PDB file of all heavy atoms in Angstrom:
ATOM      1  N   GLU U 608      33.920 147.117  20.803  1.00  0.00           N
ATOM      2  CA  GLU U 608      35.098 146.350  21.254  1.00  0.00           C
ATOM      3  C   GLU U 608      35.453 145.281  20.215  1.00  0.00           C
ATOM      4  O   GLU U 608      35.400 144.070  20.489  1.00  0.00           O
ATOM      5  CB  GLU U 608      34.836 145.654  22.583  1.00  0.00           C
ATOM      6  CG  GLU U 608      34.702 146.576  23.763  1.00  0.00           C
ATOM      7  CD  GLU U 608      34.619 145.748  25.040  1.00  0.00           C
ATOM      8  OE1 GLU U 608      35.685 145.336  25.537  1.00  0.00           O
ATOM      9  OE2 GLU U 608      33.499 145.490  25.499  1.00  0.00           O
ATOM     10  N   PRO U 609      35.815 145.701  19.005  1.00  0.00           N
ATOM     11  CA  PRO U 609      35.967 144.736  17.908  1.00  0.00           C
ATOM     12  C   PRO U 609      37.035 143.673  18.124  1.00  0.00           C
ATOM     13  O   PRO U 609      36.938 142.585  17.561  1.00  0.00           O
ATOM     14  CB  PRO U 609      36.326 145.624  16.706  1.00  0.00           C
ATOM     15  CG  PRO U 609      36.787 146.917  17.280  1.00  0.00           C
ATOM     16  CD  PRO U 609      36.102 147.083  18.583  1.00  0.00           C
ATOM     17  N   GLU U 610      38.068 143.967  18.972  1.00  0.00           N
ATOM     18  CA  GLU U 610      39.136 142.974  19.164  1.00  0.00           C
ATOM     19  C   GLU U 610      38.709 141.857  20.114  1.00  0.00           C
ATOM     20  O   GLU U 610      39.380 140.831  20.221  1.00  0.00           O
ATOM     21  CB  GLU U 610      40.405 143.642  19.721  1.00  0.00           C
ATOM     22  CG  GLU U 610      40.982 144.751  18.849  1.00  0.00           C
ATOM     23  CD  GLU U 610      41.252 144.289  17.428  1.00  0.00           C
ATOM     24  OE1 GLU U 610      41.801 143.191  17.256  1.00  0.00           O
ATOM     25  OE2 GLU U 610      40.890 145.029  16.494  1.00  0.00           O
ATOM     26  N   ARG U 611      37.630 142.094  20.836  1.00  0.00           N
ATOM     27  CA  ARG U 611      37.169 141.115  21.810  1.00  0.00           C
ATOM     28  C   ARG U 611      36.516 139.932  21.099  1.00  0.00           C
ATOM     29  O   ARG U 611      35.688 140.111  20.232  1.00  0.00           O
ATOM     30  CB  ARG U 611      36.128 141.801  22.699  1.00  0.00           C
ATOM     31  CG  ARG U 611      35.849 141.138  23.978  1.00  0.00           C
ATOM     32  CD  ARG U 611      34.853 142.034  24.729  1.00  0.00           C
ATOM     33  NE  ARG U 611      33.833 141.202  25.306  1.00  0.00           N
ATOM     34  CZ  ARG U 611      33.954 140.624  26.496  1.00  0.00           C
ATOM     35  NH1 ARG U 611      35.018 140.829  27.218  1.00  0.00           N
ATOM     36  NH2 ARG U 611      33.007 139.855  26.961  1.00  0.00           N
ATOM     37  N   VAL U 612      36.926 138.718  21.485  1.00  0.00           N
ATOM     38  CA  VAL U 612      36.294 137.515  20.906  1.00  0.00           C
ATOM     39  C   VAL U 612      35.097 137.186  21.795  1.00  0.00           C
ATOM     40  O   VAL U 612      35.259 136.806  22.949  1.00  0.00           O
ATOM     41  CB  VAL U 612      37.269 136.313  20.881  1.00  0.00           C
ATOM     42  CG1 VAL U 612      36.620 135.116  20.191  1.00  0.00           C
ATOM     43  CG2 VAL U 612      38.568 136.694  20.206  1.00  0.00           C
ATOM     44  N   ASP U 613      33.897 137.362  21.253  1.00  0.00           N
ATOM     45  CA  ASP U 613      32.692 137.246  22.065  1.00  0.00           C
ATOM     46  C   ASP U 613      31.689 136.345  21.353  1.00  0.00           C
ATOM     47  O   ASP U 613      31.092 136.739  20.353  1.00  0.00           O
ATOM     48  CB  ASP U 613      32.116 138.662  22.273  1.00  0.00           C
ATOM     49  CG  ASP U 613      30.841 138.641  23.083  1.00  0.00           C
ATOM     50  OD1 ASP U 613      30.404 137.544  23.490  1.00  0.00           O
ATOM     51  OD2 ASP U 613      30.266 139.724  23.310  1.00  0.00           O
ATOM     52  N   PHE U 614      31.528 135.121  21.886  1.00  0.00           N
ATOM     53  CA  PHE U 614      30.635 134.164  21.237  1.00  0.00           C
ATOM     54  C   PHE U 614      29.156 134.502  21.454  1.00  0.00           C
ATOM     55  O   PHE U 614      28.279 133.785  20.987  1.00  0.00           O
ATOM     56  CB  PHE U 614      30.919 132.735  21.730  1.00  0.00           C
ATOM     57  CG  PHE U 614      32.313 132.253  21.382  1.00  0.00           C
ATOM     58  CD1 PHE U 614      32.929 131.231  22.114  1.00  0.00           C
ATOM     59  CD2 PHE U 614      33.013 132.788  20.308  1.00  0.00           C
ATOM     60  CE1 PHE U 614      34.208 130.776  21.786  1.00  0.00           C
ATOM     61  CE2 PHE U 614      34.294 132.347  19.975  1.00  0.00           C
ATOM     62  CZ  PHE U 614      34.889 131.337  20.716  1.00  0.00           C
ATOM     63  N   HIS U 615      28.899 135.588  22.195  1.00  0.00           N
ATOM     64  CA  HIS U 615      27.512 135.998  22.439  1.00  0.00           C
ATOM     65  C   HIS U 615      27.225 137.337  21.769  1.00  0.00           C
ATOM     66  O   HIS U 615      26.264 138.008  22.121  1.00  0.00           O
ATOM     67  CB  HIS U 615      27.249 136.100  23.949  1.00  0.00           C
ATOM     68  CG  HIS U 615      27.596 134.832  24.667  1.00  0.00           C
ATOM     69  ND1 HIS U 615      26.710 133.807  24.837  1.00  0.00           N
ATOM     70  CD2 HIS U 615      28.767 134.417  25.212  1.00  0.00           C
ATOM     71  CE1 HIS U 615      27.312 132.810  25.480  1.00  0.00           C
ATOM     72  NE2 HIS U 615      28.565 133.152  25.706  1.00  0.00           N
ATOM     73  N   ARG U 616      28.050 137.714  20.815  1.00  0.00           N
ATOM     74  CA  ARG U 616      27.896 139.031  20.182  1.00  0.00           C
ATOM     75  C   ARG U 616      26.545 139.100  19.443  1.00  0.00           C
ATOM     76  O   ARG U 616      26.286 138.280  18.558  1.00  0.00           O
ATOM     77  CB  ARG U 616      29.045 139.244  19.194  1.00  0.00           C
ATOM     78  CG  ARG U 616      29.192 140.650  18.680  1.00  0.00           C
ATOM     79  CD  ARG U 616      30.429 140.746  17.796  1.00  0.00           C
ATOM     80  NE  ARG U 616      31.682 140.829  18.542  1.00  0.00           N
ATOM     81  CZ  ARG U 616      32.156 141.943  19.080  1.00  0.00           C
ATOM     82  NH1 ARG U 616      31.475 143.059  18.951  1.00  0.00           N
ATOM     83  NH2 ARG U 616      33.301 141.940  19.744  1.00  0.00           N
ATOM     84  N   PRO U 617      25.708 140.078  19.786  1.00  0.00           N
ATOM     85  CA  PRO U 617      24.428 140.153  19.064  1.00  0.00           C
ATOM     86  C   PRO U 617      24.639 140.781  17.682  1.00  0.00           C
ATOM     87  O   PRO U 617      25.596 141.534  17.487  1.00  0.00           O
ATOM     88  CB  PRO U 617      23.582 141.070  19.959  1.00  0.00           C
ATOM     89  CG  PRO U 617      24.562 141.867  20.750  1.00  0.00           C
ATOM     90  CD  PRO U 617      25.861 141.111  20.817  1.00  0.00           C
ATOM     91  N   GLU U 618      23.781 140.457  16.734  1.00  0.00           N
ATOM     92  CA  GLU U 618      23.826 141.116  15.420  1.00  0.00           C
ATOM     93  C   GLU U 618      25.200 141.056  14.777  1.00  0.00           C
ATOM     94  O   GLU U 618      25.761 142.089  14.428  1.00  0.00           O
ATOM     95  CB  GLU U 618      23.435 142.609  15.565  1.00  0.00           C
ATOM     96  CG  GLU U 618      22.147 142.884  16.305  1.00  0.00           C
ATOM     97  CD  GLU U 618      20.937 142.685  15.414  1.00  0.00           C
ATOM     98  OE1 GLU U 618      20.930 143.237  14.313  1.00  0.00           O
ATOM     99  OE2 GLU U 618      20.033 141.937  15.834  1.00  0.00           O
ATOM    100  N   ASN U 619      25.718 139.863  14.630  1.00  0.00           N
ATOM    101  CA  ASN U 619      27.076 139.739  14.069  1.00  0.00           C
ATOM    102  C   ASN U 619      27.019 139.687  12.537  1.00  0.00           C
ATOM    103  O   ASN U 619      27.299 138.673  11.919  1.00  0.00           O
ATOM    104  CB  ASN U 619      27.734 138.476  14.645  1.00  0.00           C
ATOM    105  CG  ASN U 619      29.220 138.424  14.340  1.00  0.00           C
ATOM    106  OD1 ASN U 619      29.739 139.270  13.616  1.00  0.00           O
ATOM    107  ND2 ASN U 619      29.911 137.440  14.877  1.00  0.00           N
ATOM    108  N   HIS U 620      26.659 140.829  11.921  1.00  0.00           N
ATOM    109  CA  HIS U 620      26.534 140.850  10.456  1.00  0.00           C
ATOM    110  C   HIS U 620      27.884 141.157   9.821  1.00  0.00           C
ATOM    111  O   HIS U 620      28.080 142.209   9.190  1.00  0.00           O
ATOM    112  CB  HIS U 620      25.488 141.882  10.028  1.00  0.00           C
ATOM    113  CG  HIS U 620      24.135 141.611  10.580  1.00  0.00           C
ATOM    114  ND1 HIS U 620      23.489 140.402  10.367  1.00  0.00           N
ATOM    115  CD2 HIS U 620      23.304 142.353  11.358  1.00  0.00           C
ATOM    116  CE1 HIS U 620      22.319 140.429  10.984  1.00  0.00           C
ATOM    117  NE2 HIS U 620      22.191 141.590  11.601  1.00  0.00           N
ATOM    118  N   HIS U 621      28.827 140.243  10.000  1.00  0.00           N
ATOM    119  CA  HIS U 621      30.179 140.491   9.483  1.00  0.00           C
ATOM    120  C   HIS U 621      30.227 140.302   7.968  1.00  0.00           C
ATOM    121  O   HIS U 621      29.281 139.754   7.362  1.00  0.00           O
ATOM    122  CB  HIS U 621      31.177 139.546  10.165  1.00  0.00           C
ATOM    123  CG  HIS U 621      30.931 138.099   9.860  1.00  0.00           C
ATOM    124  ND1 HIS U 621      31.273 137.532   8.653  1.00  0.00           N
ATOM    125  CD2 HIS U 621      30.362 137.104  10.590  1.00  0.00           C
ATOM    126  CE1 HIS U 621      30.941 136.249   8.664  1.00  0.00           C
ATOM    127  NE2 HIS U 621      30.367 135.960   9.828  1.00  0.00           N
ATOM    128  N   VAL U 622      31.338 140.747   7.372  1.00  0.00           N
ATOM    129  CA  VAL U 622      31.495 140.611   5.922  1.00  0.00           C
ATOM    130  C   VAL U 622      32.685 139.695   5.582  1.00  0.00           C
ATOM    131  O   VAL U 622      33.339 139.877   4.560  1.00  0.00           O
ATOM    132  CB  VAL U 622      31.651 141.993   5.233  1.00  0.00           C
ATOM    133  CG1 VAL U 622      30.339 142.741   5.211  1.00  0.00           C
ATOM    134  CG2 VAL U 622      32.757 142.831   5.876  1.00  0.00           C
ATOM    135  N   ALA U 623      32.961 138.731   6.457  1.00  0.00           N
ATOM    136  CA  ALA U 623      34.112 137.844   6.210  1.00  0.00           C
ATOM    137  C   ALA U 623      33.943 137.053   4.918  1.00  0.00           C
ATOM    138  O   ALA U 623      34.924 136.603   4.317  1.00  0.00           O
ATOM    139  CB  ALA U 623      34.304 136.894   7.387  1.00  0.00           C
ATOM    140  N   PHE U 624      32.694 136.855   4.470  1.00  0.00           N
ATOM    141  CA  PHE U 624      32.454 136.165   3.206  1.00  0.00           C
ATOM    142  C   PHE U 624      32.188 137.158   2.069  1.00  0.00           C
ATOM    143  O   PHE U 624      31.679 136.780   1.018  1.00  0.00           O
ATOM    144  CB  PHE U 624      31.244 135.224   3.341  1.00  0.00           C
ATOM    145  CG  PHE U 624      31.502 134.021   4.204  1.00  0.00           C
ATOM    146  CD1 PHE U 624      30.786 133.807   5.374  1.00  0.00           C
ATOM    147  CD2 PHE U 624      32.459 133.067   3.829  1.00  0.00           C
ATOM    148  CE1 PHE U 624      31.017 132.683   6.167  1.00  0.00           C
ATOM    149  CE2 PHE U 624      32.687 131.946   4.618  1.00  0.00           C
ATOM    150  CZ  PHE U 624      31.968 131.748   5.782  1.00  0.00           C
TER     151      PHE U 624
END
Side-chain angles (χ1 to χ4, degrees):
E608 291 187 82
E610 301 305 316
R611 198 177 136 86
V612 184
D613 179 0
F614 297 157
H615 305 272
R616 192 176 282 279
E618 309 280 310
N619 191 354
H620 300 304
H621 64 76
V622 287
F624 289 118

